[in-house]
């Protein structure tokens, strides 16, 4: 049983959510400022739900976020209440799961009071470096595999038995299993929620049989979530291990990815791990070595020629932005739509050059025009988010924002950011039209965004806010917040 008081995990979950850790995939239009302003009261409601066992979402919106240029992955969008209930329950068994993990597992580690859990990128890099070290020290061959749609295909009945086996308190076990079953029955979601980082703890729990098998075979092994790497000098030993892992996964209703399962000989094992070239570039930049910036730009050029290498594009853009190296600007401005799955990295890079804002605005407008009437919800949302954050007032973007807001076939997130943008750039007539949209809107999240837009457009009725603030409706917290006449924060 966990040594920490149960409800301390709620405060940890809220702190993580408020400060943006694990939240970037589904950003909030006002950075949860309304919930933060009423946190003591919100907390009481969550505590009451946890203590009563009345947990689980009634409805889950599933958003399709781009995984690459053509594929998507389903992200579960939970209400703040449901998200915090889930995180609290999972965090409360995290130490029990942690005690069962071997050092070979790098994802969702809960040691040092969860510090490593707060830095998933660093954990991934550490695993890659360990792999390089293993291959460099010994002429190992490498077997790699992962699981097809891992989170989606986790079997809740099997996971329920795993949760019971942790030895957590019966109340936590029952509530967490209830939550997961309700998640499965809500909307078209299944498996465990993708999006919350806490799900990675349950993922580790689910893969314990695989870890234990490899450990007993005395094979060198590294795992980050479902990405597995096994090292040995003999190809047959690796093949046998993969066959047994496949059988274990199948017994747990999972499927090994055939396209990502391979054995690499000594000559090609190192190339499967992160390039040593990038480590050298990183170090050169850190110490100011002459020529490091040219090596970084060369890596960017190679990553964008022919078949695009996304991981190298991300690596290069982040560092070129920090160095104020604008040589990638022409490519970034042209490829917002074609590389829409990298839009977060592209926009972060563009924002490093405020003196080029006119060109950036033109690129935003052109990209949104080309994306109109097609399924680029995430791209539109990110551009509207950036345009709001950068205080861009564009007639063209305003018109497209109206089209997005009024298109109820779109997912809610781009419509929310369209409302927020319109609130910032509205005319007198826009303010009245926003109120009409609010009255005709059924989606709770879009209604919340419209209230914020009406407030920023100075077209909101105070009696309306007072009435909503005294209700038990989902608009209660945002209305209480707006009644205090706040300066609403710009989206991150």
């Amino acid at each position: 049983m966990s040594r920490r008081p149960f409800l301390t995990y709620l405060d940890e979950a809220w702190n993580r959510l408020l400060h943006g850790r694990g939240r970037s995939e589904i950003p909030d239009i006002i950075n949860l400022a309304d919930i933060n302003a009423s946190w003591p009261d919100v907390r009481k409601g969550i505590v009451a739900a946890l203590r009563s066992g009345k947990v689980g979402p009634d409805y889950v919106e599933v958003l399709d976020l781009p995984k690459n240029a053509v594929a998507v992955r389903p992200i579960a969008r939970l209400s703040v209440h449901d998200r915090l209930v889930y995180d609290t329950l999972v965090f409360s068994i995290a130490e029990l799961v942690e005690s069962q993990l071997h050092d070979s597992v790098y994802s969702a580690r809960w040691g040092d009071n969860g510090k490593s859990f707060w830095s998933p990128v660093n954990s991934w890099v550490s695993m890659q470096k360990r792999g390089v070290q293993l291959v460099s020290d010994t002429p190992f061959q490498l077997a790699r595999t992962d699981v097809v749609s891992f989170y989606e295909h986790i079997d809740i009945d099997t996971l329920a038995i795993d949760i019971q086996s942790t030895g957590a308190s019966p109340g936590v076990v029952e509530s967490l299993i209830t939550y997961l079953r309700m998640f499965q029955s809500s909307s078209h979601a299944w498996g465990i929620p993708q999006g919350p980082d806490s799900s990675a703890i349950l993922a580790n729990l689910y893969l314990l049989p695989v870890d234990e098998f490899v450990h007993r075979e005395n094979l060198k092994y590294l795992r980050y979530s479902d990405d597995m790497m096994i090292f040995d000098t003999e190809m047959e030993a690796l093949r046998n291990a993969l066959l047994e892992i496949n059988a274990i996964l199948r017994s747990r209703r999972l499927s090994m990815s055939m396209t990502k399962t391979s054995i690499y000989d000594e000559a090609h094992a190192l190339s499967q791990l992160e390039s040593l070239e990038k480590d050298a570039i990183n170090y050169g930049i850190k110490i100011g070595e002459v020529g490091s910036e040219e090596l970084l730009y060369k890596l960017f050029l190679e990553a964008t020629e022919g078949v695009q290498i996304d991981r190298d594009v991300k690596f290069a853009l982040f560092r070129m932005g920090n160095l104020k190296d604008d040589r990638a600007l022409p490519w970034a401005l042209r490829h917002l739509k074609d590389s829409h799955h990298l839009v977060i990295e592209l926009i972060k890079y563009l924002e490093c050059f405020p003196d080029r804002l006119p060109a950036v605005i033109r690129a935003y407008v052109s990209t949104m025009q080309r994306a109109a009437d097609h399924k680029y919800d995430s791209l539109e949302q990110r551009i509207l988010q950036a345009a709001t954050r950068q205080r861009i007032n564009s007639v063209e973007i305003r018109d497209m924002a109206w089209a997005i807001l009024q298109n109820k076939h779109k997912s809610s997130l781009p419509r929310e950011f369209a409302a927020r943008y319109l609130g910032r750039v509205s005319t007198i007539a826009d303010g009245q039209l926003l109120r009409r949209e609010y009255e005709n809107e059924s989606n709770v999240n879009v209604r919340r965004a419209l209230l914020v837009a009406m407030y920023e457009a100075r077209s909101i009725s105070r009696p309306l806010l007072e009435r909503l603030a005294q209700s038990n409706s989902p608009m209660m917290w945002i209305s209480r917040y707006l009644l205090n006449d706040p300066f609403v924060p710009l989206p991150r």
Side-chain angles (χ1 to χ4, degrees), residues 23-74:
R23 188 168 58 85
S24 62
E25 290 183 314
I26 307 178
D28 186 66
I29 54 162
I30 60 171
N31 309 327
L32 299 176
D34 53 339
I35 304 299
N36 192 42
S38 297
W39 174 240
D41 291 331
V42 176
R43 187 181 189 276
K44 288 178 184 176
I46 298 170
V47 169
L50 287 165
R51 286 178 171 163
S52 69
K54 295 179 180 178
V55 299
D58 294 324
Y59 173 76
V60 175
E61 181 181 14
V62 178
L63 304 174
D64 288 330
L65 267 62
K67 187 174 183 179
N68 55 41
V70 294
V72 297
R73 59 194 182 98

Side-chain angles (χ1 to χ4, degrees), residues 9 44 52 61 118 121 142 266 283 332-333 340 401 432:
Y9 293 108
K44 288 178 184 176
S52 69
E61 181 181 14
W118 289 52
V121 173
L142 166 65
E266 300 94 324
Y283 182 70
L333 291 169
H340 63 99
Q432 299 305 316

